[in-house]
Every structure is written in structure tokens, then in C-alpha cells.
Amino acid sequence: TASARSLADRRVVVGQFGGLSSLSRQLVRALRHRSATVVASDEPDAAAQAAAANRFAATVFIGFEALPDQPSTVHYYAVPQFESAGGRALASRLAAACTETVDGFRPAVQGMRLPVLRETRMPAVLVSIEEVQSVLDMSAEVVVAVVEALEQWAADPLSTSA
């Protein structure tokens, strides 16, 4: 299928900032299964993850962080005069796919000036997860949603709709 090939020429960095390595490992495996070239980063420092993604010449960065005291959100890079159109498109698709596929996981979409988003040279999103154990319990569904969103994004990187 066209979507199965859409990830074949993509270089993906999957990052996580503690407590979500099982989810990131599952995602890495699923993306490799779809012929993407994938690197995982468990570096706790956002700047180091961004630098690694830049050195890898990634097509896209997707990161995960546990933020139990904050609502679940898919962040993309935005400041008052600029936003990453590719990051916003991916964040929108990712939030929609999670809402449709993962029971009870409905992340919002928000532009932010977070270090890992600011310092990457490719479209990047950071998924902040409030209900960490619940999301980990449904990690297979989360991986399906993320892969689906990445495939849709890869086929049309600036569109925000499925």
C-alpha cells in the first residue's frame, strides 16, 4: 500500500524523557517494521536529544514525557511570529489518531517554545502524558495511533486532516 511505503524513506527519532521506554521501544519496533530508519533516544536532556536528532538528519522527531500533573498534550514548536507547519500538522494528526484509537486518551494540541522542539531542525512533536500508567497499559493502541498518524503525515506533511 502507499501508506506502508510512506515511512520507508523517513528517518525518525523517538525520544522519551523517563518512564516511557517501553512505549518508545514498541514504537521503534513498529516503525522499523514499516521500513523507517529509526533511532531511539533516552537522554534526559532535551538539548542532547535535539542535537542527536539533528546529527541523525532526522525527517521527524517524536518525543514522550510523563507529566502527571498536566493535561495530556501533543506539543509542536510555535512562538508568536512563527510556527512549525509540519510540526503542527503532525501534532494535529497524532492527537486525532490517539483520540480515535486509544480509549480515554484525548490529548490537546498546543504550540510551545520547548527546548527539544526549538532546537530540532525537523518537524518535531512532544507528547506529554498525564495518565502514564493508563497509556502504558494501552501502549499497543498508542503505537498503532502514532504509526497511523506518522504514515498520514509522511504522505502529506503539511495537511492537518486525515
Side-chain angles (χ1 to χ4, degrees):
T1 68
S3 66
R5 285 193 302 274
S6 67
L7 293 177
D9 60 347
R10 305 299 177 171
R11 297 174 64 82
V12 183
V13 173
V14 177
Q16 68 91 22
F17 294 95
L20 298 165
S21 58
S22 64
L23 175 62
S24 66
R25 279 194 307 270
Q26 288 177 54
L27 180 57
V28 166
R29 278 195 304 273
L31 291 170
R32 285 182 178 150
H33 183 70
R34 283 158 185 81
S35 302
T37 304
V38 188
V39 167
S41 178
D42 293 328
E43 176 67 47
D45 180 62
Q49 283 206 25
N54 292 338
R55 279 193 309 276
F56 181 63
T59 309
V60 63
F61 173 91
I62 180 163
F64 297 93
E65 67 178 350
L67 278 185
D69 299 329
Q70 303 288 324
S72 293
T73 306
V74 184
H75 301 282
Y76 64 95
Y77 181 72
V79 291
Q81 307 303 318
F82 174 82
E83 72 174 17
S84 166
R88 183 174 59 82
L90 178 56
S92 297
R93 287 179 183 270
L94 195 54
C98 286
T99 298
E100 291 169 15
T101 309
V102 186
D103 193 34
F105 185 45
R106 291 172 170 51
V109 175
Q110 183 178 17
M112 295 284 288
R113 188 173 184 234
L114 301 171
V116 74
L117 303 177
R118 183 180 65 242
E119 295 177 27
T120 48
R121 292 194 292 257
M122 72 290 308
V125 296
L126 179 63
V127 184
S128 299
I129 300 171
E130 177 182 24
E131 299 292 337
V132 177
Q133 191 56 55
S134 173
V135 168
L136 288 175
D137 290 345
M138 296 183 291
S139 58
E141 292 89 347
V142 174
V143 168
V144 167
V146 172
V147 169
E148 179 181 301
L150 278 168
E151 286 177 336
Q152 292 172 358
W153 175 83
D156 189 1
L158 298 179
S159 174
T160 57
S161 59

